[in-house]
Amino acid sequence: AKQEAVALYKLEKEQRARTQKDLKKALEAQVQPSNSRDLRERLARDLAKAKEGRRGQSSNSRSEQARFAHLERAKAKAKESVRGKVVNRDQARATQATCASVKKTFSQSELDHNDQARKGRSAHAAPVAMGAYDLKFARPRAIPTWRKPA
């Protein structure tokens, strides 16, 4: 029994030594010592990439500055006169409804009346809002239920 234990110990020791040797070989194969020329080339390549990136960032900031300056010039020009008349630009006018649009809207009392009438209708008698049913009456497009027909 003692001889078997000694033999087993020797086998384990040899196996550990073999695995250590294999691991050392694998690590040496992975990490190859690089020479100074390769290191210099890699450093030069990395520096060139970094410089190129900085150039791109500075050109982006320059283009943003140019755009901002252009907008400032456009604002100043917009305040100037056109053909001798001072131009007043009203932003609210752009969002106001046109006269034609105002004519097509229902008044509040008409909307209330339509809501009351809708409550009394059955489901099959009621028009479907934004439905394609409106298209078969020779209109170019469906009109929302909250707008008057043309």
Side-chain angles (χ1 to χ4, degrees):
K2 196 173 186 183
Q3 289 176 346
E4 288 177 8
V6 170
L8 190 60
Y9 174 75
K10 284 182 180 178
L11 282 173
E12 287 177 359
K13 190 175 179 181
E14 288 173 7
Q15 196 173 16
R16 266 188 261 137
R18 251 187 271 129
T19 55
Q20 287 290 333
K21 190 177 177 183
D22 291 343
L23 281 173
K24 209 178 251 189
K25 275 185 185 177
L27 287 174
E28 287 174 1
Q30 280 182 343
V31 180
Q32 297 174 352
S34 55
N35 58 20
S36 61
R37 185 174 48 101
D38 290 342
L39 287 174
R40 273 189 256 119
E41 288 174 1
R42 191 180 310 154
L43 181 64
R45 187 176 61 237
D46 291 346
L47 285 174
K49 278 184 184 178
K51 282 181 185 177
E52 187 64 33
R54 272 190 243 118
R55 266 192 233 121
Q57 289 173 354
S58 64
S59 67
N60 285 345
S61 63
R62 269 189 250 124
S63 64
E64 286 178 22
Q65 290 170 352
R67 181 176 170 270
F68 184 73
H70 173 72
L71 289 174
E72 290 299 317
R73 284 193 304 271
K75 275 186 192 176
K77 196 173 188 181
K79 291 178 183 176
E80 294 173 1
S81 63
V82 176
R83 293 186 197 146
K85 294 182 180 179
V86 175
V87 177
N88 294 325
R89 288 180 172 31
D90 188 10
Q91 297 293 330
R93 262 188 82 208
T95 57
Q96 283 179 345
T98 60
C99 288
S101 177
V102 170
K103 286 179 186 176
K104 289 183 182 180
T105 57
F106 285 111
S107 67
Q108 191 60 45
S109 61
E110 288 173 319
L111 286 171
D112 291 340
H113 177 267
N114 289 347
D115 285 340
Q116 289 298 326
R118 196 175 294 120
K119 286 180 185 174
R121 280 193 219 129
S122 68
H124 296 285
V128 177
M130 301 301 284
Y133 179 77
D134 298 337
L135 292 173
K136 74 180 191 181
F137 295 109
R139 289 191 186 137
R141 60 187 176 139
I143 298 170
T145 55
W146 61 88
R147 307 287 285 170
K148 293 178 184 174

